[in-house]
Amino acid sequence: MSWSTREVAELSGTTVKTVRYYHQVGLLDEPDREPNGYNKRYEVRHLTRLLQIKRLTGLGLSLAQVAELGTAGDERPSVFREIDAELEATVERIQGIRQELAALSRPGATPDVPATFHDVARPLRDNDRALLTIYAQLFTAESMDALRAVLAVNPHEAIDEAFRDLPADADEATRQVLAERMAPFVGANGSVTLEPKATTPRQAEAARNAVGQALQALYSSAQLDVLRRAHELSEAGAEVQVVAEDS
């Protein structure tokens, strides 16, 4: 029993063009021809090979990997493990996408903050939302979870509002009073420590630079001055506490 090129292509669920291509790249042996020298005669072994190629490519193997399987010997398991790892990563990515889509489908959800912040984003201004988006890219999931927990409790809402409403031309006294109110909640005394995702010093430096540029672009000079003062007051308070404990 033998088949023509068209027939073996139909039986294997592929195309004549594909069968011919497999011949060209050496994946499929050339069959014998009819006595007239023109018509090819495909046998069971050709059909079997075509079905094997179809199955392996359907599992995610490239044609080059399929070709290697014929001579790879002990290398075969590693090829399949590699593809399986790639598929696992793809599944995780798709699951993450589905979770975020589900979160965005809920009432009140907004696409301009990370998915886990939808329920705490209501009081945030546009600049706060933009900074959260940048943070989510630069800092670990654990850091973002800790930040979200702080926002959810929001123990100093009045201070947050005062900072957000601070005029760009706020005078020295106003800045200092607000910095003193904020000091207990920043720096070593109370703010969240954000750990970067960076795995190299260069990446860490790039992350720090990005955060610095974002702060400069998103907040007024008065707000940045208040943050600086609050951190200085917080660090000074921590030093005094350490000295007191040591004495």
Side-chain angles (χ1 to χ4, degrees):
M1 178 67 185
S2 63
W3 300 282
S4 67
T5 306
R6 178 183 58 79
E7 290 171 335
V8 81
E10 291 178 351
L11 285 170
S12 62
T14 186
T15 66
V16 170
K17 183 177 180 181
T18 299
V19 172
R20 290 172 176 165
Y21 180 72
Y22 290 163
H23 287 314
Q24 292 175 10
V25 297
L27 280 176
L28 183 65
D29 293 339
E30 288 282 355
D32 295 331
R33 294 180 180 271
E34 296 284 354
N36 60 21
Y38 293 102
N39 300 329
K40 294 179 179 179
R41 298 190 305 182
Y42 289 88
E43 301 176 3
V44 171
R45 62 187 178 89
H46 297 103
L47 177 60
T48 301
R49 179 57 173 163
L50 285 170
L51 293 174
Q52 288 174 341
I53 296 171
K54 181 179 179 181
R55 175 169 175 260
L56 292 171
T57 55
L59 290 173
L61 275 72
S62 67
L63 292 181
Q65 289 172 320
V66 172
E68 290 176 2
L69 288 180
T71 58
D74 293 338
E75 296 295 325
R76 295 184 183 186
S78 64
V79 172
F80 297 125
R81 285 195 295 269
E82 179 182 341
I83 301 237
D84 185 58
E86 292 173 356
L87 288 175
E88 182 178 10
T90 300
V91 169
E92 290 177 357
R93 180 180 63 81
I94 292 173
Q95 288 176 339
I97 291 173
R98 293 195 66 197
Q99 290 172 1
E100 185 152 0
L101 289 173
L104 286 170
S105 300
R106 296 171 190 151
T110 173
D112 61 350
V113 295
T116 55
F117 285 79
H118 291 162
D119 57 342
V120 298
R122 182 187 57 78
L124 302 181
R125 309 284 173 84
D126 288 345
N127 54 352
D128 299 323
R129 293 165 182 259
L131 189 63
L132 275 182
T133 298
I134 294 171
Y135 276 3
Q137 173 65 24
L138 299 177
F139 299 112
T140 64
E142 293 77 14
S143 295
M144 299 305 293
D145 287 342
L147 180 58
R148 184 201 168 281
V150 169
L151 292 176
V153 175
N154 198 13
H156 38 86
E157 183 175 358
I159 298 176
D160 289 343
E161 285 302 307
F163 177 77
R164 291 171 182 140
D165 293 334
L166 184 70
D169 59 352
D171 58 32
E172 287 291 314
T174 300
R175 297 184 188 193
Q176 185 63 22
V177 169
L178 182 55
E180 291 173 358
R181 294 175 65 192
M182 292 177 63
F185 308 108
V186 302
N189 285 343
S191 65
V192 175
T193 300
L194 298 176
E195 296 293 337
K197 296 178 183 177
T199 57
T200 66
R202 184 183 64 81
Q203 291 174 342
E205 180 65 22
R208 286 192 292 270
N209 290 338
V211 170
Q213 291 181 39
L215 290 171
Q216 292 286 340
L218 296 172
Y219 296 92
S220 71
S221 58
Q223 289 172 315
L224 294 175
D225 181 45
V226 167
L227 284 175
R228 178 186 58 78
R229 296 184 189 209
H231 276 279
E232 290 176 352
L233 290 169
S234 175
E235 291 171 359
E239 290 176 1
V240 169
Q241 182 178 358
V242 170
V243 171
E245 291 175 352
D246 290 343
S247 61

